Amino acid sequence: MLKSKGSVGEFIYQAVCFTIAGLFALVCLYPLLYTFFVSLVSKAEWTDSNGLVMFLPRHPTFAAYVRIFKTNTYILTSLWVSVLKTLLRTVGGAVVAAILGYVLSRQKLPGKKLLTGVVVFTIFFGAGLIPNYMVVQELNLVNTIWSLIVPCLLNTWYALIFKQFFAALPSEVEESAYLDGTTELQMLWKIILPMSKPIFASISLFIMVDSWNSWFDAMIYIDVVHSDLWPLQYYVSLTFNNLTQVDQGTAGDWQEIVGTSGDVPDIAVRMALTIISLLPVLVAYPFFQKYFVKGVYMGAIK
Amino acid sequence: MREAAEILPRGEREAGRKLPQRDGGSFVFVKGLVFLLAGLIIFCILFFADILVKEDSGLGISVGVSGLTLIIGMAKGFSFTGVAQGIGEVAFEVPVLPCVLILAGIVLSLAAAAAGAADLFMRRSVRKNAFFSFGVSIYFIVLTVLLISPLPIRAEDFFQNEVLFYQQFHLSGPVFVVILLSALTGAFQLGISEKNYANLKRYAPFYGMLIIPAVLIVLFCIYPIFLQTVMSFKDYRLATGIWGSTWVGFDHFVTMFRDGEIVYVLWNTVYISLLKIVVSILFPLILAIMLFDISGKLSGYRKVVQTLIYIPHFFSWVVVYAIAYAFLNNEGVINSLLAQLGIAEKSFLTSERYFITIQLVTFGWKEIGWGTIIYYAALMSIDGTLFDAAKVDGAGPLKRLWHITVPSILSVIVFMSVLSLGNVLKTAGGEQLLLFYNVPVRKKALVIDTWLYFRGLSDLEYGLGSAMSFFQSFIGILLVLGCNWFSKKFTDRAIW
């Protein structure tokens, strides 16, 4: 497999690189597979094997998934909340970041320096948990779905990545178009936007993952009474029962799903929930991998 | 258009058709118009909007006081009436000094509008007039600070008890709008010259589009900072609200540093952060170099590995916790394996001993693969002929590593380290630690971010929490500045 032209040292080095990289890839992959395997395990098999199910169970069953969707409707509500907030945050966030990034990238725009100063300042000097909570409270957003969307709509990092991208576009095209009488808006619409599909893809995907994965905002902004606004990730975190002791104590209805009765072990239900909550990201990832990587490159080159 | 003709080549072609006039009339007109309009808007806000609020959060009564109400009340011999939400008309008193000060501010804003009108109608552009706008802005900043500060101005609450002015009254949102708007007008007056007026016109629509991000920045970035600063020095009570709460000076900071847990909090924050920084710099670096050095013939293999190692980054901490739970809980796979070896069950997740290790391992699992991207990009930009030449000269892989690879990306490594060190008070990671938190591991899991959640939010100690955040941001910005200076001095890279 490895054709070493050089010395033994060369071969050993290649072998080491090859092995370690491969091992690390397995380390990344296996826990994921393990989670999936456990979600398929039946109660009988789990007891028999003393919890040592390391590969696909002998008698895989989707009973855990069925139970999740049949016990109550919370899962559907929370899925809907997650999808809705992800959609709104992605569209809104990408547009807002693009506007700010585009304006910051215009070298000749009067006021650009002031604006850049403000943006950079807000990156390095932020407020903490409590002031942010109070602002959301003052705006009467607490316990509404907007509390999960509006406060994080503007991400100045993403705006700066947009800025990098727009600033790197060849300015000759724009200048000559401008001299031909094209207005800036037409230029944005007809020249810039068609060229910037990759960056929009990258940033939208980043925001999408961010917002699909966020749960902490739900924990602080949405109380038990409004549990129909809890997104999936927060719901999953609650079934692990660690934080319920600090979060007003009552997540009983949610716990119902991982009750003790039934033909599936608790752990299988929990892992099934985990798989449901990570599935969208996992399914989307292979298609968009190159955009994610590109996004990092663009953010890195400053 | 005429000014554009003087600067831009497009004008040269137009000039053939239309002779450019050199009076700059449009420029002066627009500038004067903006000045006048902004002045009028500011005046209207001050006159008609509720700029002062008399509030008792405990009773839930708040009365808005506009400039108009103030003037009418002053004319009636300092007896004021206003409409309280849900109660109807109420009579109240406003102390003389604040009345006069606010009135002076309104007059100042009128003067700014008048200067704008003069500029507009006399077709002139006096740059010094910008200072009217800046004046209004600064005046209201000073006024805000004065009126929310513990000045010994007496006022009456709704039961005619004597209290301090700031405990009953505060300036409200519209005043901040006035401050911002007049500062912007001033900047416009001063910054826009005949030279860049063409550019201003060219980019005009974007200023409109900028409104959305600007409002978001002000509401969710700048206002919280202001709030945090104020709250750090106040004893916040729900009953008295943010503005009515008593000023307590540095009390919160004293409480904070006398807190029995503060030692763990600060130590854990720095300790966990530093370990995480090492994990997030060293391991991705090694892995990236290995990936890069895998021979070109195996690029397919390399791609597969890269695809796999990026995956964990996209999972939320909830998912990572769930997976860790599956492995580490009392009947999880690791304990089952240990049982097979005859080793007693260990409660990994609830014992202090393993806590930090688990944090580092899960963090590493999630981020190491993703972290390779940045180094890999840096490695790709090395001139490949260097390696070939070294090979011809008989340099082994380790020699190449040491003499070519590492020196080539040293600046990236230093830059990344410096950047992370600047964030040392935030890297410990609130979300992750909160998920792994349970009572037995409290001592190890308390870092600034988790402490903020428990003490600040759950125990409703908003003042104390704000003080901690203030401390965190303040030290943070000092670290960032220091690290940036360092980076600039010793590498070619800097954040700005």
Side-chain angles (χ1 to χ4, degrees), chain B residues 23-265:
Chain B
D23 63 1
S26 141
F27 164 68
V28 172
F29 178 75
V30 170
K31 207 168 156 179
L33 192 66
V34 168
F35 199 2
L36 175 62
L37 281 181
L40 284 178
I41 292 171
I42 289 165
F43 172 75
C44 287
I45 293 176
L46 289 173
F47 202 70
F48 295 110
D50 293 339
I51 44 172
L52 193 66
V53 177
K54 180 177 163 73
E55 190 170 30
D56 190 319
S57 305
L59 297 173
I61 303 175
S62 81
V63 189
V65 186
S66 63
L68 187 64
T69 319
L70 271 185
I71 292 168
I72 294 173
M74 283 169 86
K76 283 186 186 164
F78 285 93
S79 76
F80 301 84
T81 50
V83 181
Q85 276 174 347
I87 293 181
E89 197 143 297
V90 283
F92 55 91
E93 279 189 20
V94 185
V96 180
L97 183 63
C99 278
V100 175
L101 287 177
I102 292 173
L103 206 65
I106 296 177
V107 172
L108 190 61
S109 79
L110 260 182
D119 275 8
L120 181 64
F121 293 116
M122 294 160 78
R123 289 292 168 112
R124 56 173 200 191
S125 165
V126 187
R127 289 184 84 195
K128 273 184 195 156
N129 280 348
F131 293 102
F132 275 110
S133 296
F134 283 130
V136 173
S137 187
I138 292 166
Y139 183 84
F140 276 98
I141 290 174
V142 173
L143 191 62
T144 309
V145 173
L146 271 182
L147 292 187
I148 64 171
S149 71
L151 278 186
I153 309 171
R154 297 284 159 189
E156 277 181 357
D157 68 6
F158 288 105
F159 299 113
Q160 269 99 42
N161 297 321
E162 260 203 3
V163 289
L164 286 179
F165 179 77
Y166 79 88
Q167 291 173 320
Q168 273 299 300
F169 292 94
H170 61 85
L171 294 175
S172 68
V175 177
F176 296 98
V177 178
V178 165
I179 290 172
L180 272 177
L181 211 60
S182 39
L184 278 179
T185 319
F188 175 82
Q189 292 295 320
L190 210 59
I192 302 303
S193 59
E194 233 161 315
K195 242 182 180 174
N196 57 15
Y197 175 65
N199 281 326
L200 186 79
K201 253 162 99 176
R202 176 176 168 184
Y203 293 111
F206 295 121
Y207 292 97
M209 284 157 72
L210 207 55
I211 288 176
I212 306 166
V215 167
L216 288 172
I217 288 185
V218 170
L219 273 183
F220 296 108
C221 298
I222 295 176
Y223 182 56
I225 294 175
F226 173 68
L227 217 54
Q228 170 173 301
T229 315
V230 170
M231 297 265 296
S232 301
F233 301 98
K234 281 196 157 206
D235 178 24
Y236 175 79
R237 293 284 154 83
L238 215 59
T240 42
I242 300 167
W243 307 109
S245 296
T246 331
W247 289 94
V248 291
F250 285 90
D251 280 12
H252 290 311
F253 295 92
V254 173
T255 319
M256 196 168 94
F257 285 110
R258 284 202 182 143
D259 190 279
E261 288 179 321
I262 191 74
V263 182
Y264 312 128
V265 174

Side-chain angles (χ1 to χ4, degrees), chain A residues 27 86 97 121 191-192 256 276 291:
Chain A
V27 167
T86 302
F121 172 76
I191 302 175
I192 311 280
E256 190 177 295
I276 295 172
Y291 291 114

Side-chain angles (χ1 to χ4, degrees), chain B residues 49 68 166 275 342 370 423:
Chain B
L68 187 64
Y166 79 88
L275 287 175
W370 185 250
N423 270 328

Side-chain angles (χ1 to χ4, degrees), chain A residues 10-69:
Chain A
E10 210 74 44
F11 178 76
I12 295 175
Y13 183 64
Q14 279 293 310
V16 168
C17 291
F18 183 88
T19 320
I20 292 187
L23 278 180
F24 191 76
L26 284 182
V27 167
C28 287
L29 185 64
Y30 179 69
L32 197 57
L33 292 175
Y34 175 73
T35 310
F36 182 60
F37 297 151
V38 173
S39 77
L40 298 180
V41 85
S42 64
K43 193 149 196 167
E45 197 173 342
W46 184 254
T47 333
D48 284 352
S49 61
N50 279 324
L52 202 59
V53 179
M54 297 192 65
F55 302 100
L56 194 67
R58 266 161 300 154
H59 310 289
T61 162
F62 281 92
Y65 293 88
V66 174
R67 178 150 136 202
I68 288 171
F69 283 99

Side-chain angles (χ1 to χ4, degrees), chain B residues 341-376:
Chain B
L341 297 171
I343 300 171
E345 188 178 285
K346 291 183 195 299
S347 34
F348 292 104
L349 290 169
T350 51
S351 82
E352 269 187 29
R353 233 178 110 191
Y354 305 107
F355 185 78
I356 290 181
T357 317
I358 294 173
Q359 303 316 304
L360 292 178
V361 171
T362 47
F363 173 76
W365 182 73
K366 193 173 186 290
E367 303 296 347
I368 287 177
W370 185 250
T372 59
I373 295 181
I374 200 154
Y375 297 110
Y376 195 78

Side-chain angles (χ1 to χ4, degrees), chain A residues 10 13-14 18 22 27 50 110 125-128 134 138 154 179 184 213 215-216 233 242 270 285 296, chain B residues 13 202 207 217 225 228 231 242 293 295 301 307 310 314 316 325 336 365 370 400 431 434-435 437 473:
Chain A
E10 210 74 44
Y13 183 64
Q14 279 293 310
F18 183 88
V27 167
N50 279 324
F125 200 88
M134 300 196 72
E138 273 187 46
L154 178 77
L179 297 184
E184 283 292 323
N213 282 344
W215 57 280
F216 187 63
Q233 295 286 337
N242 250 13
R270 292 199 170 111
Y285 168 70
V296 178
Chain B
R13 281 182 313 186
R202 176 176 168 184
Y207 292 97
I217 288 185
I225 294 175
Q228 170 173 301
M231 297 265 296
I242 300 167
D293 281 348
S295 116
Y301 175 74
T307 305
Y310 299 156
F314 295 101
S316 70
Y325 177 87
S336 308
W365 182 73
W370 185 250
R400 292 201 302 269
E431 281 197 21
L434 267 182
L435 283 167
Y437 176 87
S473 318

